[in-house]
PDB file of all heavy atoms in Angstrom:
ATOM      1  N   LEU V 216       4.562 -17.936  16.333  1.00  0.00           N
ATOM      2  CA  LEU V 216       5.243 -18.756  17.339  1.00  0.00           C
ATOM      3  C   LEU V 216       5.556 -20.142  16.788  1.00  0.00           C
ATOM      4  O   LEU V 216       6.662 -20.666  16.998  1.00  0.00           O
ATOM      5  CB  LEU V 216       4.373 -18.853  18.599  1.00  0.00           C
ATOM      6  CG  LEU V 216       4.998 -19.510  19.812  1.00  0.00           C
ATOM      7  CD1 LEU V 216       6.174 -18.686  20.303  1.00  0.00           C
ATOM      8  CD2 LEU V 216       3.955 -19.644  20.912  1.00  0.00           C
ATOM      9  N   LEU V 217       4.610 -20.740  16.062  1.00  0.00           N
ATOM     10  CA  LEU V 217       4.848 -22.066  15.480  1.00  0.00           C
ATOM     11  C   LEU V 217       5.927 -22.018  14.394  1.00  0.00           C
ATOM     12  O   LEU V 217       6.761 -22.923  14.300  1.00  0.00           O
ATOM     13  CB  LEU V 217       3.548 -22.638  14.923  1.00  0.00           C
ATOM     14  CG  LEU V 217       2.502 -23.022  15.979  1.00  0.00           C
ATOM     15  CD1 LEU V 217       1.194 -23.408  15.313  1.00  0.00           C
ATOM     16  CD2 LEU V 217       3.005 -24.137  16.877  1.00  0.00           C
ATOM     17  N   LEU V 218       5.928 -20.962  13.592  1.00  0.00           N
ATOM     18  CA  LEU V 218       6.981 -20.837  12.574  1.00  0.00           C
ATOM     19  C   LEU V 218       8.350 -20.625  13.210  1.00  0.00           C
ATOM     20  O   LEU V 218       9.354 -21.173  12.728  1.00  0.00           O
ATOM     21  CB  LEU V 218       6.656 -19.689  11.617  1.00  0.00           C
ATOM     22  CG  LEU V 218       5.525 -19.958  10.624  1.00  0.00           C
ATOM     23  CD1 LEU V 218       5.187 -18.693   9.857  1.00  0.00           C
ATOM     24  CD2 LEU V 218       5.904 -21.087   9.678  1.00  0.00           C
ATOM     25  N   LEU V 219       8.407 -19.853  14.287  1.00  0.00           N
ATOM     26  CA  LEU V 219       9.668 -19.658  14.998  1.00  0.00           C
ATOM     27  C   LEU V 219      10.156 -20.975  15.597  1.00  0.00           C
ATOM     28  O   LEU V 219      11.349 -21.296  15.530  1.00  0.00           O
ATOM     29  CB  LEU V 219       9.502 -18.604  16.098  1.00  0.00           C
ATOM     30  CG  LEU V 219      10.754 -18.257  16.887  1.00  0.00           C
ATOM     31  CD1 LEU V 219      11.794 -17.617  15.974  1.00  0.00           C
ATOM     32  CD2 LEU V 219      10.405 -17.322  18.036  1.00  0.00           C
ATOM     33  N   THR V 220       9.251 -21.753  16.143  1.00  0.00           N
ATOM     34  CA  THR V 220       9.608 -23.058  16.692  1.00  0.00           C
ATOM     35  C   THR V 220      10.146 -23.979  15.598  1.00  0.00           C
ATOM     36  O   THR V 220      11.141 -24.689  15.806  1.00  0.00           O
ATOM     37  CB  THR V 220       8.382 -23.704  17.372  1.00  0.00           C
ATOM     38  OG1 THR V 220       7.892 -22.815  18.372  1.00  0.00           O
ATOM     39  CG2 THR V 220       8.723 -25.039  18.005  1.00  0.00           C
ATOM     40  N   ALA V 221       9.493 -23.975  14.440  1.00  0.00           N
ATOM     41  CA  ALA V 221       9.953 -24.807  13.330  1.00  0.00           C
ATOM     42  C   ALA V 221      11.343 -24.365  12.865  1.00  0.00           C
ATOM     43  O   ALA V 221      12.198 -25.205  12.562  1.00  0.00           O
ATOM     44  CB  ALA V 221       8.958 -24.737  12.177  1.00  0.00           C
ATOM     45  N   TYR V 222      11.599 -23.069  12.842  1.00  0.00           N
ATOM     46  CA  TYR V 222      12.910 -22.571  12.426  1.00  0.00           C
ATOM     47  C   TYR V 222      13.993 -23.008  13.411  1.00  0.00           C
ATOM     48  O   TYR V 222      15.069 -23.459  13.007  1.00  0.00           O
ATOM     49  CB  TYR V 222      12.872 -21.041  12.300  1.00  0.00           C
ATOM     50  CG  TYR V 222      14.215 -20.448  12.010  1.00  0.00           C
ATOM     51  CD1 TYR V 222      14.779 -20.554  10.742  1.00  0.00           C
ATOM     52  CD2 TYR V 222      14.946 -19.799  13.003  1.00  0.00           C
ATOM     53  CE1 TYR V 222      16.023 -20.020  10.473  1.00  0.00           C
ATOM     54  CE2 TYR V 222      16.189 -19.265  12.737  1.00  0.00           C
ATOM     55  CZ  TYR V 222      16.724 -19.376  11.481  1.00  0.00           C
ATOM     56  OH  TYR V 222      17.957 -18.850  11.223  1.00  0.00           O
ATOM     57  N   VAL V 223      13.713 -22.866  14.690  1.00  0.00           N
ATOM     58  CA  VAL V 223      14.688 -23.274  15.707  1.00  0.00           C
ATOM     59  C   VAL V 223      14.954 -24.772  15.610  1.00  0.00           C
ATOM     60  O   VAL V 223      16.112 -25.223  15.690  1.00  0.00           O
ATOM     61  CB  VAL V 223      14.211 -22.869  17.119  1.00  0.00           C
ATOM     62  CG1 VAL V 223      15.071 -23.511  18.194  1.00  0.00           C
ATOM     63  CG2 VAL V 223      14.229 -21.352  17.258  1.00  0.00           C
ATOM     64  N   ALA V 224      13.899 -25.564  15.419  1.00  0.00           N
ATOM     65  CA  ALA V 224      14.072 -27.010  15.290  1.00  0.00           C
ATOM     66  C   ALA V 224      14.908 -27.345  14.052  1.00  0.00           C
ATOM     67  O   ALA V 224      15.750 -28.246  14.088  1.00  0.00           O
ATOM     68  CB  ALA V 224      12.713 -27.701  15.214  1.00  0.00           C
ATOM     69  N   LEU V 225      14.702 -26.614  12.962  1.00  0.00           N
ATOM     70  CA  LEU V 225      15.486 -26.838  11.755  1.00  0.00           C
ATOM     71  C   LEU V 225      16.958 -26.520  11.986  1.00  0.00           C
ATOM     72  O   LEU V 225      17.845 -27.300  11.585  1.00  0.00           O
ATOM     73  CB  LEU V 225      14.943 -25.969  10.613  1.00  0.00           C
ATOM     74  CG  LEU V 225      15.697 -26.048   9.298  1.00  0.00           C
ATOM     75  CD1 LEU V 225      15.482 -27.405   8.644  1.00  0.00           C
ATOM     76  CD2 LEU V 225      15.255 -24.938   8.372  1.00  0.00           C
ATOM     77  N   VAL V 226      17.245 -25.409  12.648  1.00  0.00           N
ATOM     78  CA  VAL V 226      18.638 -25.032  12.914  1.00  0.00           C
ATOM     79  C   VAL V 226      19.302 -26.046  13.846  1.00  0.00           C
ATOM     80  O   VAL V 226      20.443 -26.471  13.615  1.00  0.00           O
ATOM     81  CB  VAL V 226      18.713 -23.605  13.501  1.00  0.00           C
ATOM     82  CG1 VAL V 226      20.101 -23.300  14.026  1.00  0.00           C
ATOM     83  CG2 VAL V 226      18.314 -22.583  12.445  1.00  0.00           C
ATOM     84  N   VAL V 227      18.600 -26.470  14.888  1.00  0.00           N
ATOM     85  CA  VAL V 227      19.162 -27.455  15.824  1.00  0.00           C
ATOM     86  C   VAL V 227      19.390 -28.782  15.110  1.00  0.00           C
ATOM     87  O   VAL V 227      20.430 -29.424  15.294  1.00  0.00           O
ATOM     88  CB  VAL V 227      18.250 -27.611  17.056  1.00  0.00           C
ATOM     89  CG1 VAL V 227      18.664 -28.806  17.896  1.00  0.00           C
ATOM     90  CG2 VAL V 227      18.263 -26.344  17.891  1.00  0.00           C
ATOM     91  N   GLY V 228      18.430 -29.186  14.285  1.00  0.00           N
ATOM     92  CA  GLY V 228      18.588 -30.443  13.544  1.00  0.00           C
ATOM     93  C   GLY V 228      19.764 -30.389  12.589  1.00  0.00           C
ATOM     94  O   GLY V 228      20.541 -31.345  12.494  1.00  0.00           O
ATOM     95  N   LEU V 229      19.913 -29.268  11.888  1.00  0.00           N
ATOM     96  CA  LEU V 229      21.050 -29.108  10.987  1.00  0.00           C
ATOM     97  C   LEU V 229      22.358 -29.141  11.762  1.00  0.00           C
ATOM     98  O   LEU V 229      23.331 -29.789  11.343  1.00  0.00           O
ATOM     99  CB  LEU V 229      20.925 -27.801  10.209  1.00  0.00           C
ATOM    100  CG  LEU V 229      22.051 -27.459   9.253  1.00  0.00           C
ATOM    101  CD1 LEU V 229      22.113 -28.491   8.122  1.00  0.00           C
ATOM    102  CD2 LEU V 229      21.885 -26.063   8.706  1.00  0.00           C
ATOM    103  N   CYS V 230      22.359 -28.468  12.891  1.00  0.00           N
ATOM    104  CA  CYS V 230      23.569 -28.434  13.712  1.00  0.00           C
ATOM    105  C   CYS V 230      23.931 -29.843  14.213  1.00  0.00           C
ATOM    106  O   CYS V 230      25.096 -30.238  14.186  1.00  0.00           O
ATOM    107  CB  CYS V 230      23.359 -27.472  14.876  1.00  0.00           C
ATOM    108  SG  CYS V 230      24.886 -26.836  15.560  1.00  0.00           S
ATOM    109  N   LEU V 231      22.950 -30.602  14.662  1.00  0.00           N
ATOM    110  CA  LEU V 231      23.206 -31.957  15.141  1.00  0.00           C
ATOM    111  C   LEU V 231      23.671 -32.875  14.012  1.00  0.00           C
ATOM    112  O   LEU V 231      24.557 -33.717  14.203  1.00  0.00           O
ATOM    113  CB  LEU V 231      21.958 -32.533  15.810  1.00  0.00           C
ATOM    114  CG  LEU V 231      21.576 -31.911  17.150  1.00  0.00           C
ATOM    115  CD1 LEU V 231      20.253 -32.480  17.639  1.00  0.00           C
ATOM    116  CD2 LEU V 231      22.675 -32.130  18.175  1.00  0.00           C
TER     117      LEU V 231
END
Side-chain angles (χ1 to χ4, degrees):
L216 188 64
L217 291 173
L218 287 173
L219 182 64
T220 303
Y222 174 75
V223 169
L225 177 70
V226 169
V227 169
L229 178 64
C230 203
L231 290 175

